[in-house]
Structure formats: C-alpha cells, structure tokens
Amino acid sequence: MDFDLFVIGGGSAGVRCARIAAGHGARVAIAEDRFWGGTCVNIGCVPKKLLVQAGEYGAWADDAAGFGWQIRKGPHDWTALLAAKDREIGRLSGLYRKLLDGAKATIFDARARLTGPHTLDVGGRHVTAERIVIATGGHPTRLDIPGAELGIVSDDAFYLPNMPKRVAILGSGYIAVEFAGIFAALGAAVDLVYRQPLPLRGFDHDLREALGEALGAQGIALHPGCLPERIEAHGAHRRLVLNSGHAIDTDLVFFATGRRPATAQLGLAEAGVAVNAAGAVIVDEHLRSSQPHIFAIGDVTDRLNLTPVATAEGHALADSLFGGRPRSISLANVPTAVFSSPPAATVGLSEEQAAARGPVDVYVTKFTPMRHTLSGRARRSMMKLVVDQASGRVLGAHMLGEDSPEIMQGLAIALVMGATKADFDRTIGIHPTAAEEFVTLRTRTRVAGEQRAAE
Ligand code: NDP
C-alpha cells in the first residue's frame, strides 16, 4: 500500500486527523481541491465572525454619544472589508497547508475519489491506502422553488461585489440569523422569512423568544410562519413571493435553509460505504463506516455539525488508529453559539428537553446590560439555568447577550463536570459583569416537567 492513511478533505476535521496521525508516525496523505481549512476557515465561522465584528463598529459609533463622544459615522466600505477579510483568510488557509507540510504528510491539491475499498483516483493518479477517512464536509442547499437560481447561499455571501441595500433571508437557523444581523448592522434593510413561530428551532424556548425580540429591536422585519413560493427577477431586483400572497421586493434573496453532506461523486458505492437518506456517511461510535477500514468525521456524518466537534473527532480518530489510545468523543454538553446580534449561546439541555425527563427548576433573568443604560440602544440580555430537581445538577445554561459565547465556554466546563446549582451558588461573582448573574440566580422562576414526574 502507498499510505497507511488517506484523508479525503482538507477542512478542520481532515487536517487535524492527518496531522495527528502523521505525528504518530503513520504514512499519511491528504487531498483537498478547493480550500485548505475547509468551510470554517474560508466560507464559514472565521470570515462570518469578521463580518459580525465589522457590523459591531457601526453600532458602537452610535452608542458612543451616550458616553460623551462626538463621532460622525461615515459610510461603510464593503470592498475594503472584503479585501481585509480575504487577506486574513488567505493567511489562515496557507497556515493549514503549512501545518501538514510540517507534519510530513503527503499533500495532494486535487480531488480524490474512491475507486474500490482500498484504491483512489487522486487528480488522475492511482493511489492505494490501508485506511481511508472521509472528511468532505457539506454544502449549503437551496429550496426547490421556482426562481431558486436567482438566490444566493452562504458560500456566495462572502464574495458579494457590492453590499446590498435590501436582503431577504430564508430560514431561521444559525446562518439565517447570523447573516440577518450582519447585513442589518452594515445598513441593509433585512427581511427574515421562516416557517416556525420563533427563530432557532431546537434551542431553548426563552432563548428563541429573546432572540426574536432582539432581531426585531435591530430593525429586522420578521416574517414567522411563512414559506417562500417563488422568486422573480425584475431587472437587477428580486421579488420574493410568500405563500401568504405577500411579496417582498429586495436586492438579494439568501437561502439559509440548511446544508447537505458532500458525498456525491466520491465513489462511496464503489467502496461499499453506506450513506443515509440525506447522503451522510453512516458511522458507529468509533466513526467507522459500513467498511471497517473506512471512517468518516465532521459534517459529512451530519450529526452535530460544529467545527470543534469535527476537529475533536479527527484528533480522537488519529489517536485511536495510530496512537495506541482508543477513545471516542462525547456529544453531550457540547456548547454552541450563534453569532446573531447580540449573540446566543447555550450548553446542555433546553427547558423542554430537560422537562421531558423529569421535574426541573428553571431560573430566568432579563435585564438591560450596563453599557446600554448609557448608550440608549434598545438591548436586553436573557440568562437562564435549568436544574434537575432530584440531583440539583445544572442540566442547561442559556444566554442571549453580549459576550455570551465567551461566558458559555467556561460554564460548559462546569456542566461537563456535573456541577450542581449549589456549586454555582457558592461561586463568587465578578462584579460588575453580566456573567455574575449566573452565580446569583436565587429566585426560581418556575418548575417544569412535573407532569412527567407524576406519570
Ligand atoms: P439549520 O439547519 O441551522 O437551519 C436551516 C433553516 O432552514 C431552518 O430555519 C429550517 O426551518 C429552514 N428550512 C429547512 N428546510 C426548509 C423548507 N423546506 N422550507 C422552509 N424552511 C426550511 O441550517 P443552516 O443552513 O443555518 O446551518 C447549517 C448548519 O451549520 C447548522 O445547523 C450548524 O450545525 C452549522 N453552523 C454553525 C454555526 C455556528 O456554530 N455558529 C454557524 C453556521 C452554521 P426549520 O427550523 O423549520 O426546520
């Protein structure tokens, strides 16, 4: 065999797996034909957060008057922002490739396709490998409606030649609410069209409600309970027709309606690798596919599609295969943040999930953050703990508000360690911060899940 391990895909999962495996002494090859660093680095988390930060400066300039500053805000230069973003992303992407070089992995800047259980076609070259890892990630999808080709997806949003004046965004998941915040903060009139009554299905109800209010306070026009019917082109403009009969005239229609695993034309059938109805590679708890020597990591398995999960899977798999240290990753208590404006962050169970298991004490607080008592900006924060009545363990922590992702990372350690409400209560706060609210929540807001206990 040419290699001990061949990794298909140079994103967060693939690069980590290849690098660690090579460090353990394996003969490793990795192929990537588009973006070293994958979606996260090139057209995902990293550039998205830079755009979020760009938007924050505008609001801060407005806020400053409340603190005595006389700042006259000029126009925003979208072209300059994208050029600066491209420079940074180019640097980061290069770094990912360099790390692999340093680890002595064989790098193919090419597309790889399986031709059999142990054979691959890599940019026209025949290669054999003992073990293979599929780490090809996913792609954003459009809805199947007339005129769908007139809309864009998140891949395109990072390269728009001009900042649109009006944007209509479809969906209310991570990408929809993040880009709604970005475009609104940079001055666009934003319409958010979604089929649920509240954004972010699957998240805690209070968090979703607080986010809905925050999006409204940011001036975003919300269209809950709506489905798009078709998109029409009117010259350079677009008309988005909804099932209610209402039409939105806009400059840009943005599909943020989910992502699909990138498994087409990979030769999975030739190699005997099973996929599910959504096209995701089916894996067991050791990330093994239906072929015992072929593994899959990251979004291509469509389980918990978050970069740090993908990276952790890549690392664990390399350690298990070549480091003499078999281990797997727990998908419980994985913290996550949505970089809306303000951001939402969460770890553990929502109130609804926890209450389905048994009675829980719920603590909720809502307040105006200190900064905005002077800035005058209409901004509220929401913080919440969900506590198991029987054990006192904190099962879930949720926050909408500035710095919530930074705060939630620390709380996640507490939840992973099994902290109880009493542990939170005996922790001294840092004053004056928003974070201290999490250790001073004394008054129970309500009890949930009692019905379940009585059954
Ligand atoms: P999500 O799955 O989060 O959201 C998809 C949205 O599209 C939902 O609002 C969904 O509605 C809606 N939708 C799907 N199908 C239809 C349909 N047929 N008609 C109308 N609406 C529809 O996907 P995203 O594209 O936002 O993001 C993909 C994934 O990428 C995320 O789930 C997350 O795992 C990851 N991600 C993580 C980020 C982070 O960590 N900050 C940032 C961006 C992405 P409904 O809720 O009703 O199903």
Side-chain angles (χ1 to χ4, degrees):
M1 296 279 178
D2 298 324
F3 299 103
D4 299 322
L5 181 74
F6 196 101
V7 180
I8 309 178
S12 307
V15 168
R16 176 64 71 91
C17 184
R19 202 160 59 78
I20 301 300
H24 287 312
R27 291 173 305 141
V28 176
I30 179 165
E32 167 62 46
D33 70 334
R34 192 174 174 213
F35 287 134
W36 288 102
T39 297
C40 173
V41 170
N42 295 276
I43 45 172
C45 330
V46 178
K48 174 274 308 289
K49 190 155 177 193
L50 292 172
L51 299 190
V52 169
Q53 289 172 336
E56 286 171 350
Y57 282 99
W60 284 345
D62 295 334
D63 289 351
F67 292 83
W69 290 100
Q70 293 174 14
I71 293 177
R72 225 159 37 96
K73 201 168 75 178
H76 180 260
D77 186 341
W78 173 257
T79 310
L81 171 63
L82 285 209
K85 180 267 293 178
D86 287 342
R87 276 195 301 277
E88 173 56 8
I89 298 311
R91 185 187 73 81
L92 279 178
S93 183
L95 216 65
Y96 268 76
R97 208 177 173 288
K98 229 193 225 147
L99 282 173
L100 289 163
D101 240 355
K104 307 256 179 297
T106 301
I107 298 173
F108 291 95
D109 290 290
R111 202 173 163 74
R113 192 172 55 80
L114 291 155
T115 50
H118 287 281
T119 55
L120 300 109
D121 176 288
V122 188
R125 212 178 121 179
H126 177 76
V127 170
T128 57
E130 194 73 51
R131 294 183 174 106
I132 293 163
V133 172
I134 300 159
T136 47
H139 295 304
T141 56
R142 288 175 167 78
L143 298 181
D144 186 15
I145 56 170
E149 70 286 353
L150 297 168
I152 67 155
V153 293
S154 58
D155 289 10
D156 311 311
F158 295 104
Y159 299 102
L160 290 176
N162 302 300
M163 167 67 195
K165 289 197 168 57
R166 301 172 299 178
V167 185
I169 301 181
L170 304 176
S172 63
Y174 282 83
I175 295 178
V177 298
E178 288 180 344
F179 271 97
I182 290 167
F183 284 124
L186 293 177
V190 178
D191 288 277
L192 190 64
V193 176
Y194 48 100
R195 60 184 175 183
Q196 302 296 329
L198 289 170
L200 284 188
R201 181 172 61 82
F203 282 70
D204 182 89
H205 187 84
D206 281 310
L207 190 67
R208 297 176 68 193
E209 229 170 56
L211 176 66
E213 284 165 19
L215 294 171
Q218 211 193 343
I220 295 164
L222 304 179
H223 305 272
C226 287
L227 283 170
E229 221 152 57
R230 63 180 186 278
I231 305 171
E232 299 168 357
H234 293 269
H237 303 303
R238 303 284 177 259
R239 176 166 294 162
L240 175 67
V241 182
L242 307 182
N243 62 341
S244 58
H246 179 66
I248 298 170
D249 289 313
T250 187
D251 300 319
L252 188 73
V253 177
F254 184 151
F255 286 95
T257 45
R259 295 175 60 86
R260 190 170 298 144
T263 48
Q265 278 121 45
L266 258 186
L268 295 181
E270 286 87 329
V273 174
V275 296
N276 67 16
V281 178
I282 300 166
V283 289
D284 65 14
E285 71 272 30
H286 305 295
L287 303 163
R288 200 182 288 274
S289 77
S290 54
Q291 275 284 13
H293 68 283
I294 301 184
F295 302 82
I297 51 178
D299 287 8
V300 77
T301 65
D302 198 20
R303 299 184 308 162
L304 196 49
N305 297 335
L306 300 170
T307 296
V309 171
T311 315
E313 287 178 349
H315 202 132
L317 181 60
D319 282 349
S320 302
L321 294 180
F322 302 104
R325 209 154 60 94
R327 61 190 186 93
S328 54
I329 293 298
S330 165
L331 297 183
N333 287 322
V334 172
T336 181
V338 183
F339 291 90
S340 46
S341 181
T346 190
V347 61
L349 303 181
S350 66
E351 178 181 334
E352 299 74 42
Q353 289 168 329
R357 299 181 177 190
V360 286
D361 291 330
V362 178
Y363 299 81
V364 184
T365 179
K366 295 179 188 171
F367 56 94
T368 300
M370 192 181 189
R371 176 186 300 280
H372 300 300
T373 57
L374 292 204
S375 81
R377 185 149 42 124
R379 265 211 162 171
R380 301 271 289 161
S381 291
M382 190 286 300
M383 294 162 84
K384 174 170 180 177
L385 289 179
V386 180
V387 180
D388 179 42
Q389 264 190 2
S391 64
R393 271 185 67 166
V394 178
L395 300 179
H398 311 280
M399 177 173 177
L400 180 94
E402 287 159 18
D403 301 323
S404 60
E406 305 292 341
I407 294 169
M408 205 53 66
Q409 184 68 81
L411 285 192
I413 302 172
L415 263 74
V416 165
M417 293 180 74
T420 61
K421 178 69 167 58
D423 293 324
F424 275 60
D425 292 344
R426 69 191 170 93
T427 303
I428 308 288
I430 299 174
H431 189 68
T433 62
E436 69 181 316
E437 294 289 324
F438 271 122
V439 295
T440 52
L441 285 166
R442 297 277 178 256
T443 314
R444 188 172 69 188
T445 308
R446 61 181 170 268
V447 175
E450 279 181 314
Q451 178 91 20
R452 175 99 192 125
E455 284 167 10

